[in-house]
Each structure stands twice: as structure tokens, then as C-alpha cells.
Amino acid sequence: MELTNSNGVNSKESSDQLNAIALMSNILAMIKADGSNVDTVIPDLFEIALDLFKAENASIILTNKNHQVTKVWLANETYNTPENRDYFNLAIEKGPISRVIHNKQAQIIHDTLVEENWIPFSLKNPEEESWSAISAPFLVRNKAIGAVTVSKPGKNQFNNTDLDILNMFVNQASNIIEKAHIVLDFELQLQISHLLNEASRSINSSLDLNEVMKSMLMQMNEFLRAEAISIALVDKQSNELVYQVAAGIGSKDIVGLRLPSNQGISGWVMEHGKPALVQDVDQEPRIVTLGDERTGHRTRAMICAPITYKSQVLGTIQAINPTDEVFTQSELDLLVNLANIASSAIANAQQFARTQEAESRYTSLYQDSIDPIIITEVGGQIADANRRAFAFLGYPPNELIEKHIRFLHRPEAILPNTAQMEPNSIRVFNSQMVRKNGRSVHVEVYVKRTSYGDSEYVQWIYHDISKQIELEEMRKDLQAMLFHDLQSPLGNVISSLELLTYELPENSSPALLEMLDIARRSSSRLQTLIRSLLDINQLEAGHPISEQNRTHVQDLVDDAWETVKPGYEKRNISLVQEIPEDLPDIFAEDDMLRRVLVNLLDNAVKYSPKSKQVILQAEAADDNVLIRVCDQGEGIPEEYRTLVFEKFRRIDTDTYSKGLGLGLAFCRLSVEAHGGKIWVDDSPGGGARFNFTIPRWKEDKDA
């Protein structure tokens, strides 16, 4: 019969335990003294522990500050299998070992079958027999950095003495484990620093976007142990993530996948600009299966970081399914660091690509332009020209380059002093270019001083306007024909009609008299139009008004009213005159100003509804007299209020489609030639209000 001590422990067993403890202490002291690699000593510790407790299995787990598994040693199994990874991830989260680490207190499990939180080692085949286990935490400065667990078949296989011995083991081993942990962290940080430095040099060594992303993949392979890694960039037009490059399982299939910004982990990272770590996608509501469906591979876990440049998310980098243990916060931090390093390189590469594309577009526009374009230095020496310039001028490149820009213009041409032009300033003028064959061509010249790199250049764009000049000459010839060839015959027609009026007997048919009146008024209008064309031509040429006199405004209004009165009576529109009796006289050319009033009154009746009013107002305004003609029509839209005063320009609507577009142009030129101003705005009662000013007559003007 064997002896037992007071705790019921066999004396021989106690002696064996004491011997094992002494041997274990010696081994721990040896590890501590010579700094041996803990990975080579752990198997010896397992052998002692298994022999000490007559156990069949043992494990050591190390965790980080977030209680995530970072290192595992097993006495009888290889940890790096999917089943073991799932087991320890679940055990550290929900099993008894979770209580040991969180409570920082050792624990005995007398029967695993009745332990509520016990997780069978084989998840596929739950244990059907009872096991006993003891577990104790590794404590360093009152912080749990891991735990050791010993187990064997049967109920009640461990007692408090065993627990005390296990505590002695972990107390002696904790410092060694911490030292190994620190050494591993230090070595890892050195490796990370080296790899980040290499990554920075490699990634930033190219401006080619594809090369940058491929270099990123190579660096990610160095950092992460993952089944697949990928990079996706933001498509700004669609606001989608587009997978650009990938490595690992399904890499060929994932490239080109477009992911909306509001879908998936990567979409969430893109939208919020924050990294994400997902240990179990089955428990993650943000996950989408587009990638899995496309590649045929299941995603179990994922880390993802945004590529951010100047607060703008350019894309994301992600890794899925760690091949060793689990993704840790440290690995996510590494991914974030790599994304930060890559962000500026990607932004530079994208900007470089946009610049190249813009230069390509500019070169295409420059060379394919239908207009000649010449580039000179600021001093005027020709540095380059497009194909059209050489063809237009007839010079080969070797004869044109380095010549002065003045060489291409007529001697009397006045060119801008480009040396005094401000950067990005523009000059536009008309000139004549001289071709190699000596012929001159009328051109419109657009000159702009611009910067390219560190140099200043001047861009000369020439637009051939010889056809426009030819048309303008034809127009002038046509005007001359109207002025001279039509005016005399028309004068004869008007005189004949006047004579015919006196020759008709008093009892002539009313219909005949009406037809004669229509012919007289139409002829008069035609004569007025021709005289307006003549005046426009003279005013545009800068000829001054030569016959200005003291003029009474009421007399001008009365004369104009007699001309337009039939049109008003026909449409049942009344003219309301608001002219004060003490209105000052004006200094004007009577006939020209009368035709201004006729044009404005005629327009007012033309665009007013029937049975309405037209109001003519006049008042003194400083050194001028202000005259207004107000109608009750539709008014003139604001965007057309300058256009209507241009020659041959009309408002292109059904309402404003009548006439040649000369009346208001004549009014503007006439009023401005008198030194006044003309404009249009809204009439207070609705409709258009035309306003113009004419200088008041002064005594010294009559002298």
C-alpha cells in the first residue's frame, strides 16, 4: 500500500512532481540565462508538463492587448490547420480559457462534459467522454499575455496541488515568455521598418499607375500571410470601386469587378475612410458575396484599409483569409501604413496619367487644328508651329523656325509687345499674314502669353478671315448700290405720286385714293430705310453729325406721331404723351432724331396687343433730356437686351421675328453719335421700355 500525504496525494507521485519541478526550474533558468529561442524549448516544457501531470495534451496560447491569439504551441498537434484555428479563436472568445485570461486566475475543470462553456477540441466530432483540465494565465505586471492548459481523460484528475504546481510553472515562465514576446515584437518591428522603407522606395520609383500597384502587391505579399490580396480604385464618374490588380486565389477573376460604394466591407471603408478588420464574415452584416460569386472562393476573414490622399479616398487595399492563425490589429496597422505610403504615389501616378492625357489631347488639338498655330519665345523668335501653319504659309520647318514672328506680317502691321504682356493675358486683333509666295491673307490673330514648365512662350493662333472680308466688301458694294442706284429712282416715284395726288379730280373713287395713299406711305418707308442704311454706314465709319441744332422735343414727337399714326389707329392703340411744357430743348440733328422716335414708336405698336396704350415720356436729367417709350407687350428677355441693338440681329421668337434688324441698330448709333445713351428695361406696367438720353441745348452751342 502506497503512502499519501494530507491532501491525498501519493508520496511517490509527490516526489516525482518535486523532481519534475526542479528540472523544469533548471530548464527555465537555462532559457533565461542564455536567451535560447523559446520555440526550441517549448517542446521540452511540454514533455515535462505531460510527464509531471500524467497528461495527454497541453497547449500554450499568447494573446495581444485585444485578447486576440498571436501565438499557439500544441504538445500533440500542429496549430496551423483550419480546424485548430477555428478551435482556438472560439476558445479565446467563449471557452473557459477566456475566463482564465480575463479574470487573470487559474481554474480546474473536473469534468468537461458538465462544463457549460467547454469547447470540444474536435469541433466536427464532439468528445463523448469526460476529460479533466487545468489552466493558468501568464501574468506580466498584472496583465494576462496568454495561458497554459493541461488536460487528460477522466473526471477529477487534477486537484489544488496540481493547480499550485501549474501556477509555479507559469510564474517562472512568464518573464521568459514576455522576453520572447518583446524580442519577437522588436524583430517584427525591425522587419516592418525595413519592409516599409523598401516599399516606399519601390512604390515611389515609378509614375506608371500599373507599376505602382504591382509594386504594392509585392510589398503586401511580404507583409501579410493571406490567400488573396487586391487593390481597388475609385471611379469618380460612377462612384464605384473598381478592382485593378490582385494576387492569390481568384486574382484573375476579381480584376475588373465594380463594387458600389454602399456595398461590402471595401465599399464601407471607401465611404467612411476608415480601416476595417473582420475575423468572421459570417457574423458581418456589411459583407457582400459579389467577389466570392465571381471567383468561386469563400471569404472567411478580411482586413481592408483606405488609400487616402489629402482627405480624399482614392481606393482601398484588402487581404482575405489569413494562412497562419488570424488577422491581427498589428497586421491591419501594417496595411494602413502601406496604404499611406502608396497614397501619394498613386495620386502622383494618377495626376501624371491625367497630365499625359491632357498633353496628348492638346498635342492632337494643336497638330490637327484647322487654324495655323505658331509658338514663339517672348522675344518673338518662332519655336514651333503646327502642320496647318506650315501648309498655310508654304514654308518648310527649317525655313520658319527661329525666324521672328514679324517676318510673317506686313511691314505696317502693329503687333503687341509680347515682352510686356502679363502671363495668361490675351490680345485679339486683325492683321495680314504674308505667305512664302508673297500673297497677303487677312487673318484674325489670337495672342496669349503662357507658361510651360519654367519657360514663358507666346501662342499665336491665326484664323483666316479673307472670306469674311470679301463678304464685307460685297456688303458695302450692295449698300452703295442701294444708296445711289435705288435712292434716285425712288425719289422719282415719290415725286410722281405727289403730283398724281394733285392731278386726281376731287370726285375720285375713295378706293383709288386709298390705294394712292398706301403707295405714298410705302414709298416713304422705303426711303426712310435707305436713308437709315446710309446713316448707319456713315456712323459706323466714324463720321460726325454735322447739322445739329436747337430742337424742341414736342415738335419732334408731333412729326413722328404723324408718321406712325395710321398704324396706331389701325390697331386701336392710343399714344399717351407725358411731356412737361417746360422741358428743355435738345441739341440734335432733327431728321435723324425724328427717325429714332419713329423706329421706337413703330416697334411699340408692332409688339403691343390691340386696344392698348403706348406711353411716351420725357423729362430733364442733369445735362440731358431723358425720353422713354413704354409699351404693354411681352417685354424683352434680359439676355437679349444688348443683342437687340446690334445690326441685323433680332430676337429669334415667333413674336420678335419681323424686320431686318436695322431699326434699333440705327437708334443706338444715332443716339451715341449725339453723345447720349440708349437701353431697354421693363416697363412698370409690363412690357418693354426703351430709354435714351440726348444732351440739352446750351447757349454756347449756338454760338
Side-chain angles (χ1 to χ4, degrees):
M1 181 176 179
E2 295 183 301
L3 298 175
T4 61
N5 60 21
S6 59
N7 292 321
V9 179
N10 183 281
S11 296
K12 182 177 184 304
E13 185 176 347
S14 297
S15 176
D16 291 341
Q17 289 176 341
L18 290 174
N19 290 334
I21 291 171
L23 180 59
M24 181 172 59
S25 297
N26 290 334
I27 293 175
L28 292 173
M30 178 186 68
I31 295 172
K32 186 174 182 180
D34 63 13
S36 300
N37 188 332
V38 70
D39 282 324
T40 64
V41 180
I42 289 296
D44 293 333
L45 294 179
F46 277 141
E47 185 176 347
I48 294 170
L50 293 174
D51 184 62
L52 179 66
F53 296 106
K54 305 295 188 240
E56 291 190 9
N57 207 350
S59 66
I60 293 176
I61 300 175
L62 296 185
T63 61
N64 59 20
K65 61 182 179 181
N66 298 316
H67 299 307
Q68 296 171 324
V69 176
T70 60
K71 192 72 175 177
V72 174
W73 291 273
L74 297 177
N76 298 323
E77 296 285 346
T78 300
Y79 172 63
N80 191 20
T81 65
E83 184 179 69
N84 289 347
R85 282 198 301 270
D86 291 341
Y87 171 75
F88 281 104
N89 288 333
L90 191 59
I92 203 71
E93 181 182 355
K94 298 180 179 180
I97 194 172
S98 174
R99 294 199 302 270
V100 171
I101 291 176
H102 282 84
N103 298 333
K104 294 178 283 189
Q105 187 174 3
Q107 182 180 0
I108 300 176
I109 298 175
H110 295 289
D111 186 352
T112 58
L113 290 182
V114 298
E115 169 61 37
E116 181 179 357
N117 295 323
W118 180 257
I119 300 173
F121 185 75
S122 177
L123 299 178
K124 295 180 180 179
N125 301 303
E127 299 166 2
E128 297 180 357
E129 61 176 317
S130 295
W131 278 59
S132 299
I134 52 175
S135 181
F138 290 112
L139 298 178
V140 175
R141 290 182 290 277
N142 201 35
K143 291 183 179 179
I145 63 170
V148 59
T149 302
V150 179
S151 59
K152 57 183 177 181
K155 301 178 183 179
N156 302 313
Q157 297 296 311
F158 299 105
N159 54 33
N160 290 335
T161 300
D162 296 322
L163 200 59
D164 291 340
I165 294 172
L166 187 61
N167 275 324
M168 290 173 58
F169 168 74
V170 296
N171 288 338
Q172 294 184 58
S174 290
N175 290 333
I176 298 172
I177 295 294
E178 182 194 23
K179 180 181 177 181
H181 215 230
I182 292 173
V183 170
L184 288 174
D185 283 344
F186 182 71
E187 290 177 348
L188 179 61
Q189 291 304 319
L190 284 178
Q191 182 186 15
I192 290 170
S193 298
H194 174 73
L195 289 174
L196 286 174
N197 183 56
E198 289 297 316
S200 180
R201 288 200 311 169
S202 175
I203 291 171
N204 288 282
S205 64
S206 174
L207 285 173
D208 183 272
L209 186 58
N210 285 329
E211 289 297 324
V212 169
M213 291 190 293
K214 288 178 182 177
S215 180
M216 283 181 63
L217 285 186
M218 292 176 60
Q219 301 304 325
M220 289 169 68
N221 272 327
E222 293 288 339
F223 284 122
L224 305 170
R225 299 151 302 177
E227 292 182 359
I229 51 180
S230 59
I231 301 171
L233 298 181
V234 177
D235 183 340
K236 293 183 179 180
Q237 293 184 342
S238 63
N239 199 33
E240 294 175 314
L241 275 174
V242 183
Y243 285 75
Q244 305 287 338
V245 291
I249 59 172
S251 57
K252 292 182 180 179
D253 297 317
I254 201 70
V255 172
L257 175 67
R258 306 181 75 91
L259 185 67
S261 62
N262 60 349
Q263 293 186 16
I265 300 299
S266 298
W268 184 90
V269 169
M270 166 194 162
E271 190 173 27
H272 293 83
K274 297 179 181 179
L277 187 156
V278 178
Q279 297 288 16
D280 185 358
V281 299
D282 293 335
Q283 305 299 319
E284 174 55 57
R286 295 172 295 182
I287 200 71
V288 294
T289 59
L290 291 177
D292 292 0
E293 293 170 1
R294 186 158 177 162
T295 63
H297 297 278
R298 177 177 176 269
T299 299
R300 302 189 312 275
M302 179 178 180
I303 52 176
C304 182
I307 304 171
T308 305
Y309 182 75
K310 294 183 178 180
S311 302
Q312 181 181 8
V313 177
L314 304 180
T316 61
I317 55 178
Q318 43 274 319
I320 65 169
N321 301 346
T323 58
D324 186 14
E325 305 172 6
V326 296
F327 284 133
T328 65
Q329 184 63 41
S330 297
E331 288 171 319
L332 180 60
D333 293 340
L334 289 178
L335 196 63
V336 170
N337 286 334
L338 185 60
N340 291 337
I341 289 173
S343 62
S344 60
I346 288 179
N348 291 338
Q350 288 180 329
Q351 182 59 44
F352 180 71
R354 287 193 293 269
T355 301
Q356 283 191 316
E357 183 180 353
E359 287 186 351
S360 176
R361 286 198 303 268
Y362 173 78
T363 300
S364 176
L365 291 172
Y366 170 70
Q367 289 295 349
D368 297 338
S369 172
I370 62 174
D371 290 325
I373 302 176
I374 296 175
I375 307 298
T376 70
E377 297 175 359
V378 174
Q381 285 73 28
I382 297 175
D384 193 15
N386 67 350
R387 289 189 291 264
R388 177 59 180 159
F390 294 123
F392 183 78
L393 294 169
Y395 287 100
N398 63 318
E399 293 185 19
L400 190 61
I401 302 301
E402 296 188 356
K403 282 188 170 15
H404 199 280
I405 192 66
R406 186 171 292 281
F407 172 76
L408 300 176
H409 291 259
R410 293 177 64 89
E412 66 272 17
I414 300 175
L415 304 183
N417 187 343
T418 55
Q420 295 182 355
M421 288 177 62
E422 294 291 330
N424 296 316
S425 59
I426 297 171
R427 300 285 188 276
V428 180
F429 61 96
N430 290 347
S431 182
Q432 292 186 53
M433 291 191 82
V434 181
R435 292 175 169 172
K436 186 178 180 180
N437 59 13
R439 293 182 58 189
S440 296
V441 181
H442 289 275
V443 289
E444 181 183 56
V445 189
Y446 172 99
V447 183
K448 180 179 181 181
R449 181 170 173 174
T450 186
S451 301
Y452 188 82
D454 297 329
S455 302
E456 294 280 334
Y457 291 95
V458 180
Q459 183 184 65
W460 303 71
I461 301 177
Y462 294 89
H463 182 63
D464 185 354
I465 59 171
S466 55
K467 294 294 184 183
Q468 291 92 316
I469 296 295
E470 184 180 347
L471 288 173
E472 182 65 17
E473 293 297 330
M474 292 175 62
R475 185 187 64 80
K476 290 181 179 179
D477 292 342
L478 177 61
Q479 284 184 344
M481 188 260 306
L482 290 173
F483 301 156
H484 302 290
D485 296 346
L486 293 181
Q487 193 167 16
S488 295
L490 183 60
N492 293 333
V493 170
I494 294 175
S495 299
S496 298
L497 290 173
E498 291 290 341
L499 290 173
L500 184 60
T501 302
Y502 292 112
E503 293 296 328
L504 286 176
E506 294 182 359
N507 59 350
S508 297
S509 168
L512 180 61
L513 294 174
E514 184 178 357
M515 290 174 63
L516 182 61
D517 184 58
I518 292 173
R520 289 174 58 197
R521 285 190 284 108
S522 298
S523 299
S524 179
R525 283 182 177 275
L526 184 56
Q527 187 179 50
T528 300
L529 175 62
I530 293 174
R531 293 178 65 185
S532 295
L533 283 170
L534 178 60
D535 288 337
I536 287 174
N537 190 56
Q538 291 178 337
L539 292 171
E540 284 184 327
H543 297 292
I545 300 174
S546 58
E547 297 182 4
Q548 286 181 263
N549 300 297
R550 180 177 182 176
T551 303
H552 193 53
V553 174
Q554 186 65 60
D555 292 341
L556 286 178
V557 172
D558 291 341
D559 289 345
W561 172 243
E562 288 301 318
T563 303
V564 300
K565 184 178 180 180
Y568 275 70
E569 292 176 344
K570 184 177 180 180
R571 294 177 58 82
N572 194 28
I573 294 176
S574 59
L575 176 66
V576 178
Q577 300 184 28
E578 298 179 357
I579 303 174
E581 293 183 0
D582 58 349
L583 184 70
D585 291 338
I586 57 176
F587 189 60
E589 203 278 342
D590 295 8
D591 182 64
M592 186 176 289
L593 209 58
R594 181 188 63 81
R595 283 184 283 134
V596 169
L597 285 172
V598 167
N599 272 311
L600 296 180
L601 290 171
D602 195 42
N603 277 345
V605 71
K606 190 184 300 182
Y607 299 116
S608 292
K610 293 181 179 181
S611 303
K612 293 290 184 178
Q613 288 183 341
V614 172
I615 302 174
L616 192 151
Q617 301 169 327
E619 62 183 66
D622 297 328
D623 292 336
N624 299 294
V625 170
L626 172 63
I627 301 174
R628 297 189 178 100
V629 176
C630 313
D631 64 44
Q632 295 179 333
E634 295 181 4
I636 296 179
E638 190 169 348
E639 62 269 24
Y640 293 111
R641 291 179 182 177
T642 301
L643 177 69
V644 293
F645 292 106
E646 295 180 15
K647 188 170 54 174
F648 302 118
R649 300 296 294 271
R650 297 174 301 163
I651 301 176
D652 190 17
T653 65
D654 293 338
T655 303
Y656 296 97
S657 60
K658 305 172 184 177
L660 296 175
L662 291 173
L664 291 178
F666 166 75
C667 293
R668 175 180 63 82
L669 291 169
S670 299
V671 169
E672 290 176 354
H674 280 82
K677 295 181 181 179
I678 186 168
W679 69 96
V680 62
D681 55 18
D682 291 326
S683 179
R689 180 175 67 179
F690 283 86
N691 316 264
F692 69 93
T693 60
I694 297 295
R696 294 169 57 172
W697 174 84
K698 295 181 179 179
E699 292 292 339
D700 58 351
K701 291 183 179 180
D702 214 21

